[in-house]
Amino acid sequence: MLLQTGQAESAAPTQAAGTTAKYSPALIAAGLYAVCTAALLVASWIYCEHHFIYAMDDTYITMAMAKNLALRGVWGVTPWAFSSSNSSPIFPLLVAAAYRIFGVNRFAPLVLSWVFGLLSIFAAERLLVPFLNAKQRTLALILFVLFVPLFVVGIIGMEHSLHLLLTLLFLGYFLPDATERISAKQLFLFGLLTALMVSARYEALFLVFPAGCILLATRRWEPLLAISIGAAVPVCGYAAFSLAHGGYWLPNSVALKGAQGDHPSLSHMAANVAARIASNYHDGTQLFWVLGIIAVVAAVFALRDRRRAVPLLLVLVAGCFQITLAQVGMYYRYDSWLFGAGIVLLATAFPELQRILPKQAFLAIYFAILAAGGLFVLLSLAQMHMVPRIARNIYLRQWQMARFVERYYPNGVVAANDIGAINYVSNIHCYDFVGLANPEIFAARRSGGYTTGFLDRDTAAQHVQIAIAYDRWFGDPMPIEIGGPPLPRSWVRVARWYIPDPTIVGDVYVSFYAVDPTQAKALRSDVLQFASQLPAAVHTLPE
């Protein structure tokens, strides 16, 4: 059931040679991708007052880790200690390699993520060739660019476009039927591809597991062994590396997103899963819709041609794991791989559905797909509007925080909710309220011991000087999943920035606290002095 290299072309529909030579569907889609990403980058540059700013502070976490790895050989968001602060084991390595070659710069993550997005278009076309003619492939790839939405995933400077590319390549092994024994070289490449995919995002395991079950059920022992080893190597390798440096066996961000503390009760675990599904339905209804359509099409194929149902079932099971155990939404970066895979597989299924289904049943599926497509068009248009606005919010908030820290506390001990930009531009000793960069906070969160008292004692023990905090993230109970307990009363708030747009963080204020009360006078003076350096939209409010 594995795809043999080079056998796809023989199954392609007949095309006029002149039409094939005239244009390539992938090139047309790539042109659309380039135009959309260029438009977003220019709009964001204008919105950010002629500064290049990523629309995610998480991107700067990757950049900070890559900087420290390239310059000092430290795997961490600061140059002073190991920290497992990134969800992707491989992407910081790629950015660090670019930094070693070209020097530390802000554009390397953009170039990498954009190129991987471009390559995913060509990978998608390769999967479509056996099933669609040139015009059909062109339409499918245009929808692929718009609906993923690839033009957003490709410019946020993170690993999600790489994950999408590797997912499509992985699914290529399961599309056409191949009864011949695959070669040792192909087995090695299959295992290597699996390892790279899991290294890009651990959510890839959601796809590897059902793939392994299919191979087990069909007694394909050699490919099963290949993907099992491929999946185990990055997970076990990173676990050994992290544990050897005093970290957790999973990246902190993966562990924190999947846990609300170590609860042994099955009922509590079930409640957590139910809450996750409800939250994901609120944040990503469109994924549920796409998975529903995939389920219907997979059921149709399962009754008539089980071989064709396999790749659809893989994506369906992976999507169910995603909505129960992980996150969706946030520019679709968490679920873009599922959208991309789903769009390609539904496109490959469309001609066969039209052939085998009664007209009424086909029309029902067709109109469901049309309705989903209309929703995705609206969402894509919304993303074109929102990305520059969110980049501006990062510029007004996190980037100004980074500039402030770089000027007044470049080597200080600073606590913050968002740790990306401030660590990328400085070499601070970072105290991370979320726990991505601090093993103490991480352990306290997982054990349920993250309290005001703990925060007071731990910041004092680590000699934290100042805190830059979003007050609405703190309370009892914690207002949001990555929030914290009420801040200690001994901390002195000296000033706030007022930023009218609460996009991303849900708060219009950035508060400055002297964790050490003796720092209050100096901190107040620094904040007021820096006010003249801020963009006009940021207003300083002294206490």
Side-chain angles (χ1 to χ4, degrees):
M1 193 172 290
L2 295 179
L3 174 62
Q4 291 276 14
T5 302
Q7 95 183 104
E9 294 295 335
S10 63
T14 303
Q15 304 175 45
T19 302
T20 303
K22 185 177 179 180
Y23 68 89
S24 164
L27 289 176
I28 293 174
L32 175 64
Y33 174 55
V35 169
C36 290
T37 51
L40 276 182
L41 290 171
V42 170
S44 298
W45 181 73
I46 294 172
Y47 268 58
C48 296
E49 302 179 3
H50 301 172
H51 291 80
F52 172 69
I53 300 293
Y54 289 100
M56 295 293 301
D57 187 68
D58 290 1
T59 307
Y60 294 101
I61 292 179
T62 299
M63 294 164 68
M65 293 185 67
K67 177 190 73 171
N68 295 324
L69 184 61
L71 300 183
R72 305 201 183 192
V74 176
W75 183 269
V77 77
T78 76
W80 312 112
F82 169 89
S83 67
S84 184
S85 305
N86 188 283
S87 300
S88 173
I90 196 172
F91 200 70
L93 290 174
L94 297 175
V95 179
Y99 284 173
R100 289 286 293 180
I101 297 170
F102 302 106
V104 176
N105 64 85
R106 280 185 274 172
F107 302 103
L110 170 66
V111 172
L112 287 170
S113 65
W114 193 88
V115 169
F116 290 135
L118 179 67
L119 293 176
S120 72
I121 295 174
F122 290 89
E125 184 183 34
R126 183 179 179 185
L127 298 185
L128 294 172
V129 164
F131 306 97
L132 305 177
N133 61 36
K135 290 183 179 179
Q136 292 169 335
R137 295 201 307 276
T138 301
L139 175 60
L141 291 174
I142 288 173
L143 298 180
F144 178 79
V145 171
L146 295 177
F147 292 176
V148 168
L150 193 63
F151 59 87
V152 173
V153 176
I155 63 168
I156 59 176
M158 298 186 70
E159 69 276 0
H160 305 284
S161 57
L162 172 60
H163 182 202
L164 171 61
L165 169 64
L166 296 171
T167 297
L168 294 175
L169 295 176
F170 183 85
L171 287 172
Y173 281 85
F174 291 90
L175 266 173
D177 187 29
T179 56
E180 298 88 350
R181 182 184 178 88
I182 64 175
S183 67
K185 179 181 178 181
Q186 288 174 313
L187 284 173
F188 172 77
L189 293 176
F190 195 24
L192 177 62
L193 174 61
T194 304
L196 292 173
M197 185 174 67
V198 173
S199 297
R201 294 285 300 180
Y202 276 30
E203 287 94 330
L205 293 169
F206 299 159
L207 188 62
V208 174
F209 176 75
C213 291
I214 292 292
L215 294 173
L216 178 63
T218 55
R219 299 185 179 183
R220 302 300 303 273
W221 308 118
E222 291 178 338
L224 174 60
L225 180 62
I227 68 168
S228 299
I229 295 175
V233 166
V235 174
C236 295
Y238 187 83
F241 173 70
S242 182
L243 291 169
H245 288 81
Y248 191 61
W249 70 276
L250 284 173
N252 287 4
S253 56
V254 175
L256 289 173
K257 289 171 185 174
Q260 297 295 316
D262 293 329
H263 302 296
S265 166
L266 289 177
S267 62
H268 208 139
M269 291 173 60
N272 279 346
V273 169
R276 174 74 66 185
I277 294 172
S279 174
N280 284 337
Y281 182 78
H282 178 269
D283 295 336
T285 308
Q286 57 275 17
L287 179 59
F288 287 76
W289 197 335
V290 169
L291 292 178
I293 295 173
I294 290 174
V296 172
V297 175
V300 171
F301 280 146
L303 295 174
R304 294 178 177 266
D305 185 355
R306 293 181 180 179
R307 173 185 60 85
R308 291 296 308 277
V310 167
L312 291 162
L313 288 173
L314 295 183
V315 173
L316 177 61
V317 173
C320 291
F321 278 132
Q322 183 80 27
I323 62 179
T324 55
L325 300 175
Q327 286 184 299
V328 303
M330 190 61 73
Y331 309 133
Y332 308 101
R333 64 185 180 115
Y334 295 122
D335 39 21
S336 59
W337 64 290
L338 291 167
F339 288 133
I343 290 165
V344 171
L345 293 181
L346 289 174
T348 65
F350 205 78
E352 185 70 6
L353 287 175
Q354 190 172 17
R355 187 182 68 83
I356 66 176
L357 284 179
K359 184 176 181 180
Q360 294 81 356
F362 174 76
L363 287 176
I365 294 177
Y366 178 73
F367 283 114
I369 293 174
L370 276 184
L375 174 63
F376 272 77
V377 167
L378 294 176
L379 292 170
S380 294
L381 292 174
Q383 290 299 308
M384 292 291 287
H385 169 71
M386 284 298 296
V387 169
R389 176 183 170 185
I390 295 171
R392 174 173 172 79
N393 197 272
I394 297 293
Y395 169 68
L396 295 178
R397 193 181 311 269
Q398 285 91 338
W399 192 250
Q400 303 310 318
M401 290 160 51
R403 291 179 60 232
F404 175 83
V405 169
E406 181 186 29
R407 178 165 180 177
Y408 296 103
Y409 296 87
N411 299 296
V413 187
V414 179
N417 295 107
D418 276 323
I419 64 170
I422 63 173
N423 279 284
Y424 173 67
V425 303
S426 302
N427 291 319
I428 61 172
H429 297 264
C430 181
Y431 189 88
D432 175 20
F433 287 129
V434 176
L436 301 181
N438 285 83
E440 298 83 6
I441 295 286
F442 175 81
R445 277 189 180 278
R446 289 185 56 82
S447 67
Y450 191 24
T451 64
T452 301
F454 168 84
L455 196 56
D456 195 17
R457 294 188 300 272
D458 198 49
T459 52
Q462 300 200 38
H463 308 289
V464 176
Q465 298 168 277
I466 69 167
I468 306 175
Y470 312 139
D471 289 339
R472 291 188 63 181
W473 286 26
F474 297 90
D476 187 13
M478 294 181 191
I480 60 174
E481 184 178 349
I482 58 173
L487 296 175
R489 293 181 179 273
S490 60
W491 294 10
V492 180
R493 189 171 70 187
V494 301
R496 291 182 294 172
W497 287 344
Y498 173 72
I499 301 164
D501 188 354
T503 306
I504 296 294
V505 302
D507 195 348
V508 296
Y509 295 105
V510 175
S511 296
F512 291 80
Y513 288 89
V515 176
D516 178 355
T518 63
Q519 297 280 329
K521 183 177 179 180
L523 177 60
R524 182 180 291 106
S525 174
D526 294 339
V527 174
L528 295 179
Q529 185 183 55
F530 192 70
S532 62
Q533 310 280 325
L534 292 170
V538 182
H539 305 282
T540 301
L541 307 176
E543 294 293 318

